[in-house]
mmCIF file of all heavy atoms in Angstrom:
data_model
loop_
_atom_site.group_PDB
_atom_site.id
_atom_site.type_symbol
_atom_site.label_atom_id
_atom_site.label_comp_id
_atom_site.label_asym_id
_atom_site.label_seq_id
_atom_site.Cartn_x
_atom_site.Cartn_y
_atom_site.Cartn_z
ATOM 1 N N MET A 1 0.850 -1.177 0.000
ATOM 2 C CA MET A 1 0.000 0.000 0.000
ATOM 3 C C MET A 1 0.889 1.232 0.000
ATOM 4 O O MET A 1 1.846 1.295 0.755
ATOM 5 C CB MET A 1 -0.879 0.032 1.250
ATOM 6 C CG MET A 1 -1.997 -0.957 1.266
ATOM 7 S SD MET A 1 -3.102 -0.792 2.697
ATOM 8 C CE MET A 1 -2.148 -1.664 3.921
ATOM 9 N N ASP A 2 0.527 2.192 -0.820
ATOM 10 C CA ASP A 2 1.258 3.452 -0.797
ATOM 11 C C ASP A 2 0.523 4.445 0.104
ATOM 12 O O ASP A 2 -0.558 4.155 0.618
ATOM 13 C CB ASP A 2 1.453 4.007 -2.210
ATOM 14 C CG ASP A 2 0.139 4.335 -2.914
ATOM 15 O OD1 ASP A 2 -0.912 4.426 -2.255
ATOM 16 O OD2 ASP A 2 0.167 4.526 -4.142
ATOM 17 N N SER A 3 1.125 5.595 0.308
ATOM 18 C CA SER A 3 0.553 6.570 1.247
ATOM 19 C C SER A 3 -0.829 7.069 0.809
ATOM 20 O O SER A 3 -1.689 7.313 1.656
ATOM 21 C CB SER A 3 1.509 7.737 1.462
ATOM 22 O OG SER A 3 1.748 8.416 0.251
ATOM 23 N N ASN A 4 -1.045 7.183 -0.493
ATOM 24 C CA ASN A 4 -2.361 7.639 -0.964
ATOM 25 C C ASN A 4 -3.442 6.606 -0.652
ATOM 26 O O ASN A 4 -4.536 6.962 -0.208
ATOM 27 C CB ASN A 4 -2.330 7.913 -2.468
ATOM 28 C CG ASN A 4 -1.521 9.140 -2.802
ATOM 29 O OD1 ASN A 4 -1.398 10.060 -1.998
ATOM 30 N ND2 ASN A 4 -0.944 9.137 -3.986
ATOM 31 N N GLU A 5 -3.131 5.345 -0.890
ATOM 32 C CA GLU A 5 -4.103 4.296 -0.599
ATOM 33 C C GLU A 5 -4.370 4.210 0.906
ATOM 34 O O GLU A 5 -5.513 4.013 1.330
ATOM 35 C CB GLU A 5 -3.615 2.947 -1.116
ATOM 36 C CG GLU A 5 -4.634 1.852 -0.932
ATOM 37 C CD GLU A 5 -4.211 0.527 -1.514
ATOM 38 O OE1 GLU A 5 -3.036 0.361 -1.888
ATOM 39 O OE2 GLU A 5 -5.070 -0.356 -1.587
ATOM 40 N N ILE A 6 -3.328 4.379 1.703
ATOM 41 C CA ILE A 6 -3.498 4.364 3.154
ATOM 42 C C ILE A 6 -4.443 5.475 3.585
ATOM 43 O O ILE A 6 -5.347 5.250 4.390
ATOM 44 C CB ILE A 6 -2.136 4.468 3.874
ATOM 45 C CG1 ILE A 6 -1.366 3.155 3.717
ATOM 46 C CG2 ILE A 6 -2.313 4.814 5.350
ATOM 47 C CD1 ILE A 6 0.058 3.191 4.234
ATOM 48 N N GLU A 7 -4.278 6.670 3.040
ATOM 49 C CA GLU A 7 -5.147 7.789 3.414
ATOM 50 C C GLU A 7 -6.597 7.545 3.018
ATOM 51 O O GLU A 7 -7.519 7.898 3.761
ATOM 52 C CB GLU A 7 -4.628 9.102 2.817
ATOM 53 C CG GLU A 7 -3.337 9.573 3.440
ATOM 54 C CD GLU A 7 -3.405 9.694 4.959
ATOM 55 O OE1 GLU A 7 -4.393 10.244 5.487
ATOM 56 O OE2 GLU A 7 -2.471 9.218 5.616
ATOM 57 N N VAL A 8 -6.814 6.920 1.861
ATOM 58 C CA VAL A 8 -8.183 6.587 1.435
ATOM 59 C C VAL A 8 -8.798 5.584 2.405
ATOM 60 O O VAL A 8 -9.948 5.733 2.830
ATOM 61 C CB VAL A 8 -8.181 6.042 -0.011
ATOM 62 C CG1 VAL A 8 -9.533 5.429 -0.369
ATOM 63 C CG2 VAL A 8 -7.807 7.134 -0.995
ATOM 64 N N LEU A 9 -8.015 4.565 2.773
ATOM 65 C CA LEU A 9 -8.512 3.563 3.709
ATOM 66 C C LEU A 9 -8.742 4.150 5.099
ATOM 67 O O LEU A 9 -9.706 3.789 5.772
ATOM 68 C CB LEU A 9 -7.549 2.380 3.778
ATOM 69 C CG LEU A 9 -7.475 1.509 2.525
ATOM 70 C CD1 LEU A 9 -6.362 0.477 2.651
ATOM 71 C CD2 LEU A 9 -8.810 0.832 2.256
ATOM 72 N N VAL A 10 -7.862 5.062 5.526
ATOM 73 C CA VAL A 10 -8.042 5.721 6.825
ATOM 74 C C VAL A 10 -9.382 6.444 6.852
ATOM 75 O O VAL A 10 -10.158 6.303 7.803
ATOM 76 C CB VAL A 10 -6.882 6.701 7.122
ATOM 77 C CG1 VAL A 10 -7.242 7.631 8.278
ATOM 78 C CG2 VAL A 10 -5.600 5.954 7.423
ATOM 79 N N ALA A 11 -9.663 7.208 5.819
ATOM 80 C CA ALA A 11 -10.916 7.963 5.771
ATOM 81 C C ALA A 11 -12.121 7.024 5.787
ATOM 82 O O ALA A 11 -13.100 7.268 6.505
ATOM 83 C CB ALA A 11 -10.942 8.851 4.529
ATOM 84 N N LYS A 12 -12.035 5.954 5.011
ATOM 85 C CA LYS A 12 -13.157 5.022 4.936
ATOM 86 C C LYS A 12 -13.369 4.288 6.265
ATOM 87 O O LYS A 12 -14.494 4.219 6.771
ATOM 88 C CB LYS A 12 -12.915 4.010 3.817
ATOM 89 C CG LYS A 12 -14.069 3.091 3.598
ATOM 90 C CD LYS A 12 -13.887 2.269 2.354
ATOM 91 C CE LYS A 12 -15.163 1.496 2.093
ATOM 92 N NZ LYS A 12 -15.176 0.869 0.801
ATOM 93 N N ILE A 13 -12.296 3.754 6.820
ATOM 94 C CA ILE A 13 -12.418 3.002 8.069
ATOM 95 C C ILE A 13 -12.837 3.906 9.216
ATOM 96 O O ILE A 13 -13.741 3.590 9.979
ATOM 97 C CB ILE A 13 -11.100 2.260 8.380
ATOM 98 C CG1 ILE A 13 -10.864 1.155 7.345
ATOM 99 C CG2 ILE A 13 -11.117 1.685 9.794
ATOM 100 C CD1 ILE A 13 -9.485 0.528 7.400
ATOM 101 N N HIS A 14 -12.193 5.053 9.327
ATOM 102 C CA HIS A 14 -12.531 5.967 10.419
ATOM 103 C C HIS A 14 -13.956 6.484 10.277
ATOM 104 O O HIS A 14 -14.652 6.681 11.283
ATOM 105 C CB HIS A 14 -11.539 7.127 10.493
ATOM 106 C CG HIS A 14 -11.788 8.017 11.659
ATOM 107 N ND1 HIS A 14 -12.470 9.206 11.536
ATOM 108 C CD2 HIS A 14 -11.492 7.869 12.968
ATOM 109 C CE1 HIS A 14 -12.564 9.761 12.735
ATOM 110 N NE2 HIS A 14 -11.980 8.963 13.616
ATOM 111 N N GLY A 15 -14.401 6.682 9.064
ATOM 112 C CA GLY A 15 -15.768 7.137 8.836
ATOM 113 C C GLY A 15 -16.802 6.157 9.346
ATOM 114 O O GLY A 15 -17.898 6.550 9.749
ATOM 115 N N ARG A 16 -16.456 4.882 9.345
ATOM 116 C CA ARG A 16 -17.398 3.857 9.789
ATOM 117 C C ARG A 16 -17.265 3.506 11.266
ATOM 118 O O ARG A 16 -18.237 3.111 11.900
ATOM 119 C CB ARG A 16 -17.217 2.588 8.957
ATOM 120 C CG ARG A 16 -17.533 2.760 7.494
ATOM 121 C CD ARG A 16 -18.982 2.895 7.254
ATOM 122 N NE ARG A 16 -19.607 1.613 7.565
ATOM 123 C CZ ARG A 16 -20.874 1.350 7.437
ATOM 124 N NH1 ARG A 16 -21.676 2.278 6.997
ATOM 125 N NH2 ARG A 16 -21.351 0.173 7.761
ATOM 126 N N ILE A 17 -16.042 3.601 11.822
ATOM 127 C CA ILE A 17 -15.850 3.169 13.210
ATOM 128 C C ILE A 17 -15.293 4.272 14.096
ATOM 129 O O ILE A 17 -14.916 4.014 15.242
ATOM 130 C CB ILE A 17 -14.934 1.921 13.295
ATOM 131 C CG1 ILE A 17 -13.534 2.242 12.778
ATOM 132 C CG2 ILE A 17 -15.539 0.747 12.555
ATOM 133 C CD1 ILE A 17 -12.515 1.164 13.045
ATOM 134 N N GLY A 18 -15.258 5.493 13.589
ATOM 135 C CA GLY A 18 -14.668 6.599 14.326
ATOM 136 C C GLY A 18 -15.404 6.991 15.592
ATOM 137 O O GLY A 18 -14.877 7.729 16.411
ATOM 138 N N TYR A 19 -16.608 6.493 15.768
ATOM 139 C CA TYR A 19 -17.386 6.804 16.977
ATOM 140 C C TYR A 19 -16.901 6.011 18.190
ATOM 141 O O TYR A 19 -17.273 6.307 19.319
ATOM 142 C CB TYR A 19 -18.873 6.520 16.739
ATOM 143 C CG TYR A 19 -19.155 5.076 16.426
ATOM 144 C CD1 TYR A 19 -19.407 4.163 17.449
ATOM 145 C CD2 TYR A 19 -19.143 4.617 15.118
ATOM 146 C CE1 TYR A 19 -19.640 2.828 17.176
ATOM 147 C CE2 TYR A 19 -19.377 3.280 14.834
ATOM 148 C CZ TYR A 19 -19.626 2.399 15.856
ATOM 149 O OH TYR A 19 -19.853 1.079 15.575
ATOM 150 N N ILE A 20 -16.070 5.009 17.967
ATOM 151 C CA ILE A 20 -15.560 4.187 19.067
ATOM 152 C C ILE A 20 -14.503 4.991 19.823
ATOM 153 O O ILE A 20 -13.546 5.479 19.221
ATOM 154 C CB ILE A 20 -14.955 2.871 18.542
ATOM 155 C CG1 ILE A 20 -16.014 2.063 17.790
ATOM 156 C CG2 ILE A 20 -14.364 2.059 19.690
ATOM 157 C CD1 ILE A 20 -15.461 0.855 17.052
ATOM 158 N N PRO A 21 -14.664 5.150 21.129
ATOM 159 C CA PRO A 21 -13.692 5.937 21.899
ATOM 160 C C PRO A 21 -12.267 5.389 21.737
ATOM 161 O O PRO A 21 -12.044 4.182 21.808
ATOM 162 C CB PRO A 21 -14.159 5.785 23.350
ATOM 163 C CG PRO A 21 -15.607 5.440 23.247
ATOM 164 C CD PRO A 21 -15.746 4.642 21.975
ATOM 165 N N GLY A 22 -11.334 6.287 21.486
ATOM 166 C CA GLY A 22 -9.933 5.907 21.341
ATOM 167 C C GLY A 22 -9.532 5.495 19.936
ATOM 168 O O GLY A 22 -8.354 5.288 19.662
ATOM 169 N N ILE A 23 -10.487 5.365 19.046
ATOM 170 C CA ILE A 23 -10.184 4.990 17.664
ATOM 171 C C ILE A 23 -10.270 6.252 16.810
ATOM 172 O O ILE A 23 -11.327 6.633 16.336
ATOM 173 C CB ILE A 23 -11.170 3.916 17.127
ATOM 174 C CG1 ILE A 23 -11.218 2.721 18.042
ATOM 175 C CG2 ILE A 23 -10.792 3.526 15.704
ATOM 176 C CD1 ILE A 23 -9.902 1.973 18.193
ATOM 177 N N ASP A 24 -9.134 6.902 16.673
ATOM 178 C CA ASP A 24 -9.090 8.116 15.862
ATOM 179 C C ASP A 24 -8.320 7.847 14.576
ATOM 180 O O ASP A 24 -7.828 6.737 14.349
ATOM 181 C CB ASP A 24 -8.481 9.278 16.639
ATOM 182 C CG ASP A 24 -7.080 8.987 17.134
ATOM 183 O OD1 ASP A 24 -6.501 7.934 16.801
ATOM 184 O OD2 ASP A 24 -6.538 9.831 17.867
ATOM 185 N N GLN A 25 -8.225 8.850 13.721
ATOM 186 C CA GLN A 25 -7.544 8.682 12.440
ATOM 187 C C GLN A 25 -6.072 8.333 12.623
ATOM 188 O O GLN A 25 -5.525 7.549 11.844
ATOM 189 C CB GLN A 25 -7.676 9.937 11.591
ATOM 190 C CG GLN A 25 -9.059 10.116 11.023
ATOM 191 C CD GLN A 25 -9.151 11.306 10.092
ATOM 192 O OE1 GLN A 25 -8.292 12.172 10.091
ATOM 193 N NE2 GLN A 25 -10.197 11.349 9.303
ATOM 194 N N ILE A 26 -5.440 8.889 13.624
ATOM 195 C CA ILE A 26 -4.024 8.600 13.858
ATOM 196 C C ILE A 26 -3.836 7.120 14.167
ATOM 197 O O ILE A 26 -2.924 6.474 13.631
ATOM 198 C CB ILE A 26 -3.468 9.479 14.998
ATOM 199 C CG1 ILE A 26 -3.477 10.948 14.564
ATOM 200 C CG2 ILE A 26 -2.066 9.043 15.395
ATOM 201 C CD1 ILE A 26 -3.189 11.927 15.676
ATOM 202 N N PHE A 27 -4.697 6.548 15.009
ATOM 203 C CA PHE A 27 -4.611 5.134 15.343
ATOM 204 C C PHE A 27 -4.791 4.271 14.097
ATOM 205 O O PHE A 27 -4.019 3.346 13.843
ATOM 206 C CB PHE A 27 -5.659 4.767 16.399
ATOM 207 C CG PHE A 27 -5.742 3.290 16.651
ATOM 208 C CD1 PHE A 27 -4.784 2.646 17.418
ATOM 209 C CD2 PHE A 27 -6.782 2.542 16.110
ATOM 210 C CE1 PHE A 27 -4.854 1.283 17.641
ATOM 211 C CE2 PHE A 27 -6.861 1.182 16.328
ATOM 212 C CZ PHE A 27 -5.892 0.547 17.101
ATOM 213 N N VAL A 28 -5.824 4.564 13.317
ATOM 214 C CA VAL A 28 -6.098 3.786 12.107
ATOM 215 C C VAL A 28 -4.925 3.901 11.139
ATOM 216 O O VAL A 28 -4.479 2.905 10.550
ATOM 217 C CB VAL A 28 -7.423 4.234 11.447
ATOM 218 C CG1 VAL A 28 -7.650 3.508 10.131
ATOM 219 C CG2 VAL A 28 -8.600 4.017 12.390
ATOM 220 N N ARG A 29 -4.392 5.110 10.963
ATOM 221 C CA ARG A 29 -3.253 5.331 10.067
ATOM 222 C C ARG A 29 -2.032 4.519 10.525
ATOM 223 O O ARG A 29 -1.370 3.872 9.712
ATOM 224 C CB ARG A 29 -2.900 6.815 9.990
ATOM 225 C CG ARG A 29 -1.809 7.130 8.985
ATOM 226 C CD ARG A 29 -1.545 8.627 8.860
ATOM 227 N NE ARG A 29 -2.729 9.316 8.340
ATOM 228 C CZ ARG A 29 -3.501 10.144 9.068
ATOM 229 N NH1 ARG A 29 -3.218 10.402 10.325
ATOM 230 N NH2 ARG A 29 -4.551 10.720 8.516
ATOM 231 N N LYS A 30 -1.734 4.543 11.817
ATOM 232 C CA LYS A 30 -0.585 3.792 12.332
ATOM 233 C C LYS A 30 -0.762 2.292 12.097
ATOM 234 O O LYS A 30 0.193 1.598 11.752
ATOM 235 C CB LYS A 30 -0.378 4.071 13.817
ATOM 236 C CG LYS A 30 0.215 5.423 14.094
ATOM 237 C CD LYS A 30 0.401 5.640 15.586
ATOM 238 C CE LYS A 30 0.989 7.004 15.885
ATOM 239 N NZ LYS A 30 1.160 7.215 17.337
ATOM 240 N N CYS A 31 -1.965 1.798 12.287
ATOM 241 C CA CYS A 31 -2.232 0.381 12.044
ATOM 242 C C CYS A 31 -1.994 0.025 10.578
ATOM 243 O O CYS A 31 -1.337 -0.975 10.265
ATOM 244 C CB CYS A 31 -3.661 0.026 12.428
ATOM 245 S SG CYS A 31 -3.967 0.054 14.201
ATOM 246 N N LEU A 32 -2.517 0.848 9.686
ATOM 247 C CA LEU A 32 -2.350 0.569 8.259
ATOM 248 C C LEU A 32 -0.891 0.713 7.822
ATOM 249 O O LEU A 32 -0.414 -0.064 6.987
ATOM 250 C CB LEU A 32 -3.253 1.480 7.434
ATOM 251 C CG LEU A 32 -4.748 1.205 7.570
ATOM 252 C CD1 LEU A 32 -5.556 2.251 6.824
ATOM 253 C CD2 LEU A 32 -5.093 -0.188 7.082
ATOM 254 N N GLN A 33 -0.181 1.677 8.374
ATOM 255 C CA GLN A 33 1.232 1.825 8.043
ATOM 256 C C GLN A 33 2.024 0.612 8.527
ATOM 257 O O GLN A 33 2.941 0.154 7.844
ATOM 258 C CB GLN A 33 1.794 3.108 8.647
ATOM 259 C CG GLN A 33 1.305 4.354 7.951
ATOM 260 C CD GLN A 33 1.672 5.641 8.685
ATOM 261 O OE1 GLN A 33 1.894 5.648 9.888
ATOM 262 N NE2 GLN A 33 1.706 6.734 7.941
ATOM 263 N N GLY A 34 1.678 0.104 9.693
ATOM 264 C CA GLY A 34 2.330 -1.099 10.204
ATOM 265 C C GLY A 34 2.084 -2.297 9.305
ATOM 266 O O GLY A 34 2.993 -3.076 9.017
ATOM 267 N N ILE A 35 0.855 -2.433 8.857
ATOM 268 C CA ILE A 35 0.509 -3.525 7.946
ATOM 269 C C ILE A 35 1.276 -3.371 6.635
ATOM 270 O O ILE A 35 1.824 -4.343 6.111
ATOM 271 C CB ILE A 35 -1.005 -3.570 7.710
ATOM 272 C CG1 ILE A 35 -1.708 -4.029 8.988
ATOM 273 C CG2 ILE A 35 -1.366 -4.468 6.521
ATOM 274 C CD1 ILE A 35 -3.201 -3.817 8.999
ATOM 275 N N ALA A 36 1.333 -2.147 6.110
ATOM 276 C CA ALA A 36 2.048 -1.902 4.856
ATOM 277 C C ALA A 36 3.534 -2.207 5.002
ATOM 278 O O ALA A 36 4.171 -2.683 4.058
ATOM 279 C CB ALA A 36 1.839 -0.463 4.403
ATOM 280 N N SER A 37 4.090 -1.949 6.174
ATOM 281 C CA SER A 37 5.526 -2.175 6.372
ATOM 282 C C SER A 37 5.891 -3.659 6.395
ATOM 283 O O SER A 37 7.055 -4.016 6.224
ATOM 284 C CB SER A 37 6.003 -1.497 7.657
ATOM 285 O OG SER A 37 5.526 -2.190 8.789
ATOM 286 N N LEU A 38 4.903 -4.522 6.595
ATOM 287 C CA LEU A 38 5.156 -5.957 6.569
ATOM 288 C C LEU A 38 5.590 -6.431 5.183
ATOM 289 O O LEU A 38 6.334 -7.390 5.055
ATOM 290 C CB LEU A 38 3.914 -6.745 6.994
ATOM 291 C CG LEU A 38 3.436 -6.582 8.422
ATOM 292 C CD1 LEU A 38 2.099 -7.293 8.598
ATOM 293 C CD2 LEU A 38 4.466 -7.111 9.394
ATOM 294 N N GLY A 39 5.057 -5.758 4.167
ATOM 295 C CA GLY A 39 5.372 -6.144 2.796
ATOM 296 C C GLY A 39 4.705 -7.445 2.375
ATOM 297 O O GLY A 39 5.137 -8.082 1.430
ATOM 298 N N ASP A 40 3.656 -7.829 3.063
ATOM 299 C CA ASP A 40 2.942 -9.070 2.780
ATOM 300 C C ASP A 40 1.716 -8.741 1.923
ATOM 301 O O ASP A 40 0.727 -8.190 2.413
ATOM 302 C CB ASP A 40 2.528 -9.743 4.083
ATOM 303 C CG ASP A 40 1.927 -11.120 3.886
ATOM 304 O OD1 ASP A 40 1.324 -11.370 2.822
ATOM 305 O OD2 ASP A 40 2.049 -11.941 4.810
ATOM 306 N N GLN A 41 1.787 -9.074 0.648
ATOM 307 C CA GLN A 41 0.709 -8.726 -0.281
ATOM 308 C C GLN A 41 -0.608 -9.393 0.091
ATOM 309 O O GLN A 41 -1.676 -8.800 -0.076
ATOM 310 C CB GLN A 41 1.115 -9.123 -1.706
ATOM 311 C CG GLN A 41 0.234 -8.521 -2.767
ATOM 312 C CD GLN A 41 0.293 -7.002 -2.776
ATOM 313 O OE1 GLN A 41 1.355 -6.419 -2.643
ATOM 314 N NE2 GLN A 41 -0.836 -6.356 -2.930
ATOM 315 N N ASP A 42 -0.566 -10.599 0.610
ATOM 316 C CA ASP A 42 -1.784 -11.302 1.014
ATOM 317 C C ASP A 42 -2.509 -10.550 2.127
ATOM 318 O O ASP A 42 -3.728 -10.379 2.079
ATOM 319 C CB ASP A 42 -1.445 -12.722 1.463
ATOM 320 C CG ASP A 42 -2.687 -13.556 1.728
ATOM 321 O OD1 ASP A 42 -3.609 -13.540 0.890
ATOM 322 O OD2 ASP A 42 -2.723 -14.225 2.784
ATOM 323 N N VAL A 43 -1.759 -10.063 3.101
ATOM 324 C CA VAL A 43 -2.359 -9.309 4.210
ATOM 325 C C VAL A 43 -2.949 -7.995 3.682
ATOM 326 O O VAL A 43 -4.062 -7.615 4.049
ATOM 327 C CB VAL A 43 -1.317 -9.039 5.320
ATOM 328 C CG1 VAL A 43 -1.881 -8.111 6.375
ATOM 329 C CG2 VAL A 43 -0.867 -10.344 5.946
ATOM 330 N N GLU A 44 -2.212 -7.310 2.818
ATOM 331 C CA GLU A 44 -2.717 -6.049 2.252
ATOM 332 C C GLU A 44 -4.009 -6.283 1.471
ATOM 333 O O GLU A 44 -4.951 -5.500 1.575
ATOM 334 C CB GLU A 44 -1.656 -5.409 1.363
ATOM 335 C CG GLU A 44 -0.488 -4.855 2.139
ATOM 336 C CD GLU A 44 0.532 -4.154 1.258
ATOM 337 O OE1 GLU A 44 0.177 -3.767 0.121
ATOM 338 O OE2 GLU A 44 1.672 -3.986 1.720
ATOM 339 N N ASN A 45 -4.057 -7.349 0.705
ATOM 340 C CA ASN A 45 -5.269 -7.657 -0.063
ATOM 341 C C ASN A 45 -6.450 -7.928 0.857
ATOM 342 O O ASN A 45 -7.578 -7.524 0.565
ATOM 343 C CB ASN A 45 -5.033 -8.845 -0.986
ATOM 344 C CG ASN A 45 -4.119 -8.502 -2.135
ATOM 345 O OD1 ASN A 45 -3.954 -7.349 -2.515
ATOM 346 N ND2 ASN A 45 -3.470 -9.516 -2.691
ATOM 347 N N LYS A 46 -6.209 -8.590 1.970
ATOM 348 C CA LYS A 46 -7.296 -8.868 2.913
ATOM 349 C C LYS A 46 -7.775 -7.590 3.600
ATOM 350 O O LYS A 46 -8.966 -7.439 3.873
ATOM 351 C CB LYS A 46 -6.859 -9.916 3.927
ATOM 352 C CG LYS A 46 -6.762 -11.281 3.284
ATOM 353 C CD LYS A 46 -6.307 -12.337 4.235
ATOM 354 C CE LYS A 46 -6.197 -13.667 3.484
ATOM 355 N NZ LYS A 46 -5.704 -14.741 4.304
ATOM 356 N N ILE A 47 -6.871 -6.658 3.865
ATOM 357 C CA ILE A 47 -7.272 -5.361 4.426
ATOM 358 C C ILE A 47 -8.125 -4.599 3.426
ATOM 359 O O ILE A 47 -9.138 -3.995 3.792
ATOM 360 C CB ILE A 47 -6.040 -4.535 4.843
ATOM 361 C CG1 ILE A 47 -5.333 -5.213 6.012
ATOM 362 C CG2 ILE A 47 -6.408 -3.095 5.164
ATOM 363 C CD1 ILE A 47 -6.170 -5.317 7.287
ATOM 364 N N ARG A 48 -7.735 -4.630 2.158
ATOM 365 C CA ARG A 48 -8.533 -3.971 1.117
ATOM 366 C C ARG A 48 -9.932 -4.589 1.047
ATOM 367 O O ARG A 48 -10.929 -3.880 0.917
ATOM 368 C CB ARG A 48 -7.836 -4.079 -0.233
ATOM 369 C CG ARG A 48 -6.604 -3.247 -0.350
ATOM 370 C CD ARG A 48 -5.961 -3.407 -1.736
ATOM 371 N NE ARG A 48 -4.692 -2.751 -1.766
ATOM 372 C CZ ARG A 48 -3.514 -3.378 -1.779
ATOM 373 N NH1 ARG A 48 -3.451 -4.702 -1.785
ATOM 374 N NH2 ARG A 48 -2.389 -2.685 -1.816
ATOM 375 N N LEU A 49 -9.991 -5.915 1.109
ATOM 376 C CA LEU A 49 -11.278 -6.610 1.076
ATOM 377 C C LEU A 49 -12.130 -6.231 2.286
ATOM 378 O O LEU A 49 -13.326 -5.943 2.165
ATOM 379 C CB LEU A 49 -11.056 -8.121 1.025
ATOM 380 C CG LEU A 49 -12.292 -8.987 0.958
ATOM 381 C CD1 LEU A 49 -13.086 -8.721 -0.323
ATOM 382 C CD2 LEU A 49 -11.907 -10.453 1.045
ATOM 383 N N LEU A 50 -11.512 -6.225 3.450
ATOM 384 C CA LEU A 50 -12.215 -5.825 4.668
ATOM 385 C C LEU A 50 -12.773 -4.414 4.546
ATOM 386 O O LEU A 50 -13.935 -4.152 4.925
ATOM 387 C CB LEU A 50 -11.258 -5.908 5.860
ATOM 388 C CG LEU A 50 -11.806 -5.455 7.211
ATOM 389 C CD1 LEU A 50 -12.932 -6.377 7.654
ATOM 390 C CD2 LEU A 50 -10.697 -5.443 8.227
ATOM 391 N N ALA A 51 -11.992 -3.506 3.986
ATOM 392 C CA ALA A 51 -12.421 -2.112 3.846
ATOM 393 C C ALA A 51 -13.641 -1.985 2.920
ATOM 394 O O ALA A 51 -14.457 -1.087 3.086
ATOM 395 C CB ALA A 51 -11.279 -1.251 3.329
ATOM 396 N N LYS A 52 -13.777 -2.898 1.977
ATOM 397 C CA LYS A 52 -14.939 -2.863 1.084
ATOM 398 C C LYS A 52 -16.233 -3.163 1.824
ATOM 399 O O LYS A 52 -17.297 -2.724 1.421
ATOM 400 C CB LYS A 52 -14.763 -3.869 -0.053
ATOM 401 C CG LYS A 52 -13.749 -3.470 -1.069
ATOM 402 C CD LYS A 52 -13.662 -4.514 -2.178
ATOM 403 C CE LYS A 52 -12.607 -4.127 -3.180
ATOM 404 N NZ LYS A 52 -12.523 -5.106 -4.279
ATOM 405 N N PHE A 53 -16.140 -3.934 2.905
ATOM 406 C CA PHE A 53 -17.337 -4.359 3.617
ATOM 407 C C PHE A 53 -17.701 -3.483 4.803
ATOM 408 O O PHE A 53 -18.740 -3.696 5.419
ATOM 409 C CB PHE A 53 -17.191 -5.816 4.057
ATOM 410 C CG PHE A 53 -17.252 -6.787 2.909
ATOM 411 C CD1 PHE A 53 -16.096 -7.276 2.345
ATOM 412 C CD2 PHE A 53 -18.479 -7.171 2.383
ATOM 413 C CE1 PHE A 53 -16.145 -8.155 1.268
ATOM 414 C CE2 PHE A 53 -18.544 -8.037 1.319
ATOM 415 C CZ PHE A 53 -17.369 -8.527 0.759
ATOM 416 N N ILE A 54 -16.837 -2.546 5.155
ATOM 417 C CA ILE A 54 -17.182 -1.668 6.276
ATOM 418 C C ILE A 54 -17.537 -0.293 5.800
ATOM 419 O O ILE A 54 -17.377 0.064 4.708
ATOM 420 C CB ILE A 54 -16.059 -1.580 7.347
ATOM 421 C CG1 ILE A 54 -14.778 -1.071 6.754
ATOM 422 C CG2 ILE A 54 -15.873 -2.901 8.004
ATOM 423 C CD1 ILE A 54 -13.739 -0.771 7.816
#
């Protein structure tokens, strides 16, 4: 995932679950950046799939 895709996913995920206390955009961004740093394409694809359903 590149930074642009991460920002799109941050907006989408936070828009759906941002009402949960402690789950802000910074938290979601850090999680996605951590996932991206793994370099595991299978995990990234599953995150993309998950984002489609939320």
Side-chain angles (χ1 to χ4, degrees):
M1 287 185 279
D2 62 16
S3 61
N4 289 332
E5 184 176 11
I6 288 173
E7 291 306 315
V8 168
L9 291 173
V10 166
K12 185 171 187 169
I13 293 169
H14 185 261
R16 296 288 292 182
I17 63 170
Y19 62 89
I20 300 171
I23 306 298
D24 58 6
Q25 287 185 343
I26 294 170
F27 172 77
V28 175
R29 185 176 296 110
K30 285 180 180 180
C31 290
L32 291 174
Q33 288 170 336
I35 290 167
S37 72
L38 295 173
D40 187 331
Q41 194 62 42
D42 187 47
V43 173
E44 289 183 20
N45 289 338
K46 288 179 182 177
I47 293 297
R48 289 180 188 107
L49 181 63
L50 177 65
K52 288 181 182 181
F53 289 97
I54 59 171

